[in-house]
Amino acid sequence: MSSFRLTRTLPVDATGADLRADVRQGLGHNPKSLPPKWFYDARGSELFEEITRLPEYYPTRAEREILHDRAGEIAAACGARTLVELGSGSSEKTRILLDALPGLHSYLPVDVSESALTLAAGALLAERPSLSVHALIADFTRGLALPDTPGPRLVAFLGGTLGNLLPGERNVFLKSVRSLLRADDCLLLGTDLVKDEATLVAAYDDAAGVTATFNKNVLNVLNRELDADFDPDDFAHVARWDREHEWIEMRLRARSALTVKVRELDLAVTFEKDEELRTEVSAKFREQGVREELGAAGMELSHWWTDRAGRFALSLSIMA
């Protein structure tokens, strides 16, 4: 018989407190920046789902292809009885793993959004009446404690989200994941790979302008949540490839000199003409670099799979 449990590890106002802190810090300094997690209000999530269906945006399709092709190998390599998914969202791609794990007992989706967790869990339980789902409302970047569930456990971090963290942040995060793993557990990690600049930039600057709308939506979030008076039309969407760091940066560039008020914080933010606000870093990886970063965190890369075009990778790691 299926079961569902929801546990909150975040304080009720944690999201609002984090937003206020990030905006005060990010807009109060030069160069200006905001973490990409603030894209994802309801409208931002809808826009991102639209982005994943664009012809230019290959990562979602490439990762799904690997899962379809390799799910059996992943299941055989880890033999998981519990699947933990960090940043689970709608759990769409997770269904491929769930179907491939014959001995699965428990699914632990982890997300900051209670509504996303509840919606996804309801759909999964309707399809899989024997599954036990224990959803965690938590911020996995802050450290995480997992409930006691049958092992081995497979911790999945899909979608290339690791690339949104800066190198130092990735090291802290991977060490925190390592601290969750027991001797027979595994980490399944999705990473977008370095490739030609034109393909990379197009994925973040599509011809239909959906990514530009997505990028500017963060300003709507600040207007609504912090009583700011940003006009998204005052900013241009920018996506550029940083060859030195091997990452894509998304930015918003002020079309003219202006001042924005963030009333909730009693903050006035000035922009010079052409000044940019960085809203996302999306690092791209090479196999050796992933291996080294995992090794520095105390894990050993044991399997490496790419899609047929070599654009994206899933790796499986064990305790070192």
Short mmCIF file of all heavy atoms in Angstrom, two decimals, residues 165-211:
data_model
loop_
_atom_site.label_atom_id
_atom_site.label_comp_id
_atom_site.label_asym_id
_atom_site.label_seq_id
_atom_site.Cartn_x
_atom_site.Cartn_y
_atom_site.Cartn_z
N LEU A 165 26.17 26.64 -9.15
CA LEU A 165 26.98 26.96 -7.99
C LEU A 165 28.39 27.35 -8.45
O LEU A 165 28.94 26.77 -9.38
CB LEU A 165 27.07 25.76 -7.05
CG LEU A 165 25.73 25.19 -6.54
CD1 LEU A 165 25.98 23.95 -5.69
CD2 LEU A 165 24.96 26.24 -5.76
N LEU A 166 28.97 28.33 -7.78
CA LEU A 166 30.36 28.69 -8.03
C LEU A 166 31.28 27.61 -7.49
O LEU A 166 30.87 26.79 -6.64
CB LEU A 166 30.66 30.05 -7.40
CG LEU A 166 29.86 31.23 -7.96
CD1 LEU A 166 30.11 32.49 -7.14
CD2 LEU A 166 30.18 31.47 -9.43
N PRO A 167 32.55 27.54 -7.95
CA PRO A 167 33.41 26.42 -7.56
C PRO A 167 33.48 26.17 -6.05
O PRO A 167 33.39 25.02 -5.61
CB PRO A 167 34.76 26.81 -8.15
CG PRO A 167 34.40 27.60 -9.37
CD PRO A 167 33.17 28.38 -8.98
N GLY A 168 33.65 27.21 -5.26
CA GLY A 168 33.71 27.02 -3.82
C GLY A 168 32.41 26.50 -3.25
O GLY A 168 32.40 25.65 -2.34
N GLU A 169 31.30 26.99 -3.81
CA GLU A 169 29.98 26.51 -3.38
C GLU A 169 29.77 25.06 -3.76
O GLU A 169 29.17 24.28 -3.01
CB GLU A 169 28.89 27.39 -3.99
CG GLU A 169 28.91 28.83 -3.54
CD GLU A 169 27.98 29.72 -4.37
OE1 GLU A 169 27.70 29.37 -5.54
OE2 GLU A 169 27.57 30.76 -3.84
N ARG A 170 30.28 24.67 -4.94
CA ARG A 170 30.16 23.27 -5.36
C ARG A 170 30.90 22.36 -4.41
O ARG A 170 30.43 21.27 -4.07
CB ARG A 170 30.68 23.09 -6.79
CG ARG A 170 29.87 23.78 -7.86
CD ARG A 170 30.10 23.19 -9.22
NE ARG A 170 31.46 23.26 -9.69
CZ ARG A 170 31.96 24.24 -10.46
NH1 ARG A 170 31.19 25.27 -10.80
NH2 ARG A 170 33.20 24.20 -10.88
N ASN A 171 32.08 22.78 -3.98
CA ASN A 171 32.87 21.95 -3.06
C ASN A 171 32.12 21.75 -1.74
O ASN A 171 32.05 20.63 -1.23
CB ASN A 171 34.23 22.60 -2.82
CG ASN A 171 35.10 21.78 -1.88
OD1 ASN A 171 35.27 22.13 -0.72
ND2 ASN A 171 35.66 20.69 -2.38
N VAL A 172 31.56 22.82 -1.21
CA VAL A 172 30.79 22.72 0.04
C VAL A 172 29.58 21.82 -0.15
O VAL A 172 29.28 20.96 0.68
CB VAL A 172 30.37 24.13 0.52
CG1 VAL A 172 29.39 24.02 1.68
CG2 VAL A 172 31.58 24.95 0.92
N PHE A 173 28.89 22.01 -1.28
CA PHE A 173 27.69 21.21 -1.54
C PHE A 173 28.03 19.74 -1.68
O PHE A 173 27.37 18.87 -1.08
CB PHE A 173 26.99 21.72 -2.80
CG PHE A 173 25.93 20.79 -3.31
CD1 PHE A 173 24.71 20.68 -2.64
CD2 PHE A 173 26.14 20.01 -4.43
CE1 PHE A 173 23.73 19.82 -3.09
CE2 PHE A 173 25.16 19.14 -4.89
CZ PHE A 173 23.95 19.05 -4.22
N LEU A 174 29.05 19.41 -2.47
CA LEU A 174 29.39 18.00 -2.69
C LEU A 174 29.86 17.35 -1.40
O LEU A 174 29.57 16.17 -1.16
CB LEU A 174 30.45 17.89 -3.78
CG LEU A 174 29.96 18.20 -5.21
CD1 LEU A 174 31.14 18.25 -6.18
CD2 LEU A 174 28.92 17.19 -5.67
N LYS A 175 30.55 18.08 -0.55
CA LYS A 175 30.93 17.52 0.74
C LYS A 175 29.71 17.27 1.61
O LYS A 175 29.66 16.28 2.36
CB LYS A 175 31.91 18.46 1.45
CG LYS A 175 33.32 18.42 0.87
CD LYS A 175 34.27 19.35 1.62
CE LYS A 175 35.68 19.23 1.06
NZ LYS A 175 36.61 20.17 1.73
N SER A 176 28.71 18.15 1.50
CA SER A 176 27.49 17.92 2.29
C SER A 176 26.74 16.69 1.78
O SER A 176 26.17 15.93 2.57
CB SER A 176 26.59 19.16 2.25
OG SER A 176 25.94 19.30 0.99
N VAL A 177 26.76 16.47 0.46
CA VAL A 177 26.16 15.25 -0.09
C VAL A 177 26.93 14.02 0.38
O VAL A 177 26.34 13.01 0.77
CB VAL A 177 26.12 15.31 -1.64
CG1 VAL A 177 25.69 13.97 -2.22
CG2 VAL A 177 25.18 16.41 -2.11
N ARG A 178 28.25 14.12 0.34
CA ARG A 178 29.08 13.00 0.81
C ARG A 178 28.75 12.62 2.25
O ARG A 178 28.74 11.42 2.61
CB ARG A 178 30.56 13.39 0.68
CG ARG A 178 31.57 12.51 1.39
CD ARG A 178 31.58 11.11 0.84
NE ARG A 178 32.60 10.31 1.50
CZ ARG A 178 32.49 9.78 2.72
NH1 ARG A 178 31.38 9.97 3.42
NH2 ARG A 178 33.47 9.07 3.24
N SER A 179 28.42 13.62 3.07
CA SER A 179 28.11 13.34 4.47
C SER A 179 26.80 12.57 4.63
O SER A 179 26.56 11.96 5.67
CB SER A 179 28.05 14.65 5.27
OG SER A 179 26.89 15.39 4.93
N LEU A 180 25.95 12.61 3.59
CA LEU A 180 24.69 11.89 3.63
C LEU A 180 24.85 10.41 3.28
O LEU A 180 23.99 9.59 3.59
CB LEU A 180 23.69 12.50 2.64
CG LEU A 180 23.25 13.94 2.85
CD1 LEU A 180 22.36 14.38 1.69
CD2 LEU A 180 22.52 14.10 4.18
N LEU A 181 25.93 10.09 2.57
CA LEU A 181 26.07 8.75 1.99
C LEU A 181 26.61 7.74 2.99
O LEU A 181 27.55 8.02 3.74
CB LEU A 181 26.99 8.81 0.77
CG LEU A 181 26.56 9.72 -0.39
CD1 LEU A 181 27.57 9.62 -1.52
CD2 LEU A 181 25.17 9.36 -0.89
N ARG A 182 26.00 6.57 2.96
CA ARG A 182 26.53 5.43 3.70
C ARG A 182 27.38 4.59 2.74
O ARG A 182 27.48 4.88 1.55
CB ARG A 182 25.39 4.62 4.29
CG ARG A 182 24.53 5.44 5.26
CD ARG A 182 23.47 4.63 5.94
NE ARG A 182 22.42 4.17 5.03
CZ ARG A 182 21.12 4.26 5.30
NH1 ARG A 182 20.71 4.83 6.42
NH2 ARG A 182 20.23 3.79 4.45
N ALA A 183 27.97 3.53 3.27
CA ALA A 183 28.98 2.78 2.51
C ALA A 183 28.47 2.27 1.17
O ALA A 183 29.21 2.22 0.19
CB ALA A 183 29.50 1.62 3.36
N ASP A 184 27.19 1.87 1.09
CA ASP A 184 26.69 1.27 -0.14
C ASP A 184 25.81 2.23 -0.96
O ASP A 184 25.14 1.81 -1.90
CB ASP A 184 25.91 -0.01 0.16
CG ASP A 184 24.80 0.21 1.18
OD1 ASP A 184 24.71 1.34 1.74
OD2 ASP A 184 24.02 -0.73 1.43
N ASP A 185 25.80 3.52 -0.61
CA ASP A 185 25.00 4.51 -1.33
C ASP A 185 25.74 5.05 -2.54
O ASP A 185 26.97 4.93 -2.65
CB ASP A 185 24.61 5.67 -0.41
CG ASP A 185 23.69 5.26 0.72
OD1 ASP A 185 23.09 4.18 0.62
OD2 ASP A 185 23.59 6.01 1.70
N CYS A 186 24.99 5.69 -3.46
CA CYS A 186 25.58 6.26 -4.67
C CYS A 186 25.00 7.65 -4.92
O CYS A 186 23.90 7.98 -4.48
CB CYS A 186 25.27 5.40 -5.90
SG CYS A 186 25.94 3.73 -5.85
N LEU A 187 25.75 8.44 -5.68
CA LEU A 187 25.30 9.76 -6.16
C LEU A 187 25.18 9.71 -7.67
O LEU A 187 26.14 9.36 -8.37
CB LEU A 187 26.29 10.85 -5.75
CG LEU A 187 26.07 12.23 -6.41
CD1 LEU A 187 24.76 12.87 -5.94
CD2 LEU A 187 27.25 13.16 -6.12
N LEU A 188 24.00 10.08 -8.19
CA LEU A 188 23.79 10.23 -9.63
C LEU A 188 23.73 11.72 -9.93
O LEU A 188 22.85 12.43 -9.44
CB LEU A 188 22.48 9.55 -10.05
CG LEU A 188 22.16 9.58 -11.55
CD1 LEU A 188 23.17 8.74 -12.34
CD2 LEU A 188 20.74 9.08 -11.81
N LEU A 189 24.68 12.19 -10.73
CA LEU A 189 24.87 13.62 -10.94
C LEU A 189 24.74 13.98 -12.42
O LEU A 189 25.38 13.35 -13.27
CB LEU A 189 26.26 14.01 -10.43
CG LEU A 189 26.67 15.48 -10.53
CD1 LEU A 189 25.79 16.36 -9.64
CD2 LEU A 189 28.14 15.64 -10.14
N GLY A 190 23.92 14.99 -12.72
CA GLY A 190 23.80 15.49 -14.08
C GLY A 190 24.67 16.71 -14.29
O GLY A 190 24.64 17.64 -13.48
N THR A 191 25.48 16.71 -15.37
CA THR A 191 26.34 17.84 -15.68
C THR A 191 26.31 18.14 -17.17
O THR A 191 26.47 17.24 -18.00
CB THR A 191 27.81 17.56 -15.26
OG1 THR A 191 28.20 16.26 -15.71
CG2 THR A 191 27.97 17.65 -13.76
N ASP A 192 26.10 19.41 -17.49
CA ASP A 192 26.18 19.85 -18.88
C ASP A 192 27.65 19.97 -19.25
O ASP A 192 28.49 20.36 -18.43
CB ASP A 192 25.47 21.20 -19.03
CG ASP A 192 25.17 21.54 -20.47
OD1 ASP A 192 25.38 20.69 -21.36
OD2 ASP A 192 24.71 22.68 -20.72
N LEU A 193 27.98 19.63 -20.49
CA LEU A 193 29.37 19.55 -20.91
C LEU A 193 29.80 20.74 -21.75
O LEU A 193 28.99 21.37 -22.43
CB LEU A 193 29.60 18.25 -21.69
CG LEU A 193 29.26 16.96 -20.94
CD1 LEU A 193 29.52 15.74 -21.83
CD2 LEU A 193 30.03 16.85 -19.63
N VAL A 194 31.10 21.05 -21.70
CA VAL A 194 31.68 22.09 -22.54
C VAL A 194 31.50 21.70 -24.00
O VAL A 194 31.72 20.55 -24.38
CB VAL A 194 33.17 22.28 -22.22
CG1 VAL A 194 33.81 23.27 -23.19
CG2 VAL A 194 33.36 22.75 -20.78
N LYS A 195 31.10 22.68 -24.81
CA LYS A 195 30.92 22.45 -26.25
C LYS A 195 31.10 23.77 -26.97
O LYS A 195 31.57 24.74 -26.36
CB LYS A 195 29.53 21.84 -26.52
CG LYS A 195 28.39 22.70 -26.01
CD LYS A 195 27.07 21.97 -26.10
CE LYS A 195 26.98 20.77 -25.19
NZ LYS A 195 27.00 21.17 -23.74
N ASP A 196 30.74 23.84 -28.24
CA ASP A 196 30.99 25.06 -28.99
C ASP A 196 30.16 26.22 -28.46
O ASP A 196 29.03 26.05 -27.98
CB ASP A 196 30.72 24.84 -30.48
CG ASP A 196 29.25 24.60 -30.76
OD1 ASP A 196 28.79 23.46 -30.53
OD2 ASP A 196 28.55 25.55 -31.16
N GLU A 197 30.73 27.41 -28.54
CA GLU A 197 30.12 28.61 -27.96
C GLU A 197 28.75 28.90 -28.55
O GLU A 197 27.82 29.29 -27.84
CB GLU A 197 31.05 29.80 -28.16
CG GLU A 197 30.53 31.10 -27.57
CD GLU A 197 31.53 32.23 -27.68
OE1 GLU A 197 32.71 31.97 -27.98
OE2 GLU A 197 31.13 33.40 -27.45
N ALA A 198 28.59 28.72 -29.85
CA ALA A 198 27.32 29.06 -30.50
C ALA A 198 26.17 28.22 -29.92
O ALA A 198 25.08 28.75 -29.65
CB ALA A 198 27.42 28.85 -32.00
N THR A 199 26.41 26.93 -29.74
CA THR A 199 25.37 26.06 -29.18
C THR A 199 25.03 26.47 -27.75
O THR A 199 23.86 26.50 -27.35
CB THR A 199 25.85 24.60 -29.21
OG1 THR A 199 26.06 24.20 -30.57
CG2 THR A 199 24.82 23.66 -28.57
N LEU A 200 26.05 26.78 -26.97
CA LEU A 200 25.84 27.15 -25.57
C LEU A 200 25.06 28.46 -25.45
O LEU A 200 24.09 28.55 -24.69
CB LEU A 200 27.19 27.28 -24.86
CG LEU A 200 27.90 25.96 -24.56
CD1 LEU A 200 29.36 26.19 -24.20
CD2 LEU A 200 27.19 25.22 -23.44
N VAL A 201 25.48 29.46 -26.19
CA VAL A 201 24.81 30.77 -26.08
C VAL A 201 23.37 30.67 -26.57
O VAL A 201 22.45 31.23 -25.95
CB VAL A 201 25.59 31.85 -26.86
CG1 VAL A 201 24.79 33.15 -26.92
CG2 VAL A 201 26.95 32.10 -26.20
N ALA A 202 23.14 29.94 -27.65
CA ALA A 202 21.77 29.80 -28.17
C ALA A 202 20.84 29.16 -27.15
O ALA A 202 19.66 29.50 -27.08
CB ALA A 202 21.79 28.98 -29.46
N ALA A 203 21.36 28.24 -26.34
CA ALA A 203 20.53 27.58 -25.35
C ALA A 203 20.03 28.54 -24.29
O ALA A 203 19.03 28.27 -23.62
CB ALA A 203 21.31 26.44 -24.70
N TYR A 204 20.73 29.68 -24.13
CA TYR A 204 20.35 30.67 -23.12
C TYR A 204 19.89 31.99 -23.73
O TYR A 204 19.67 32.96 -23.01
CB TYR A 204 21.53 30.92 -22.16
CG TYR A 204 21.86 29.70 -21.35
CD1 TYR A 204 22.66 28.68 -21.87
CD2 TYR A 204 21.35 29.52 -20.07
CE1 TYR A 204 22.95 27.54 -21.14
CE2 TYR A 204 21.63 28.39 -19.33
CZ TYR A 204 22.43 27.40 -19.87
OH TYR A 204 22.70 26.27 -19.14
N ASP A 205 19.75 32.00 -25.04
CA ASP A 205 19.29 33.21 -25.74
C ASP A 205 18.53 32.78 -26.99
O ASP A 205 18.95 33.02 -28.11
CB ASP A 205 20.48 34.10 -26.10
CG ASP A 205 20.06 35.49 -26.53
OD1 ASP A 205 18.88 35.86 -26.32
OD2 ASP A 205 20.91 36.22 -27.08
N ASP A 206 17.37 32.13 -26.77
CA ASP A 206 16.62 31.52 -27.87
C ASP A 206 15.98 32.57 -28.76
O ASP A 206 15.72 33.71 -28.36
CB ASP A 206 15.54 30.60 -27.31
CG ASP A 206 14.57 31.36 -26.41
OD1 ASP A 206 14.91 31.59 -25.23
OD2 ASP A 206 13.50 31.76 -26.90
N ALA A 207 15.71 32.15 -29.99
CA ALA A 207 15.16 33.07 -30.99
C ALA A 207 13.78 33.58 -30.62
O ALA A 207 13.41 34.71 -30.98
CB ALA A 207 15.12 32.37 -32.35
N ALA A 208 13.00 32.79 -29.88
CA ALA A 208 11.65 33.20 -29.51
C ALA A 208 11.62 34.16 -28.33
O ALA A 208 10.56 34.74 -28.02
CB ALA A 208 10.80 31.97 -29.20
N GLY A 209 12.74 34.34 -27.65
CA GLY A 209 12.80 35.28 -26.54
C GLY A 209 12.23 34.76 -25.23
O GLY A 209 12.02 35.53 -24.29
N VAL A 210 12.02 33.45 -25.14
CA VAL A 210 11.44 32.90 -23.91
C VAL A 210 12.43 33.03 -22.75
O VAL A 210 12.05 33.39 -21.63
CB VAL A 210 11.03 31.43 -24.09
CG1 VAL A 210 10.41 30.87 -22.81
CG2 VAL A 210 10.06 31.28 -25.26
N THR A 211 13.71 32.77 -23.01
CA THR A 211 14.71 32.88 -21.95
C THR A 211 14.86 34.32 -21.50
O THR A 211 15.08 34.58 -20.30
CB THR A 211 16.05 32.30 -22.40
OG1 THR A 211 15.85 31.00 -22.96
CG2 THR A 211 17.02 32.19 -21.24
#
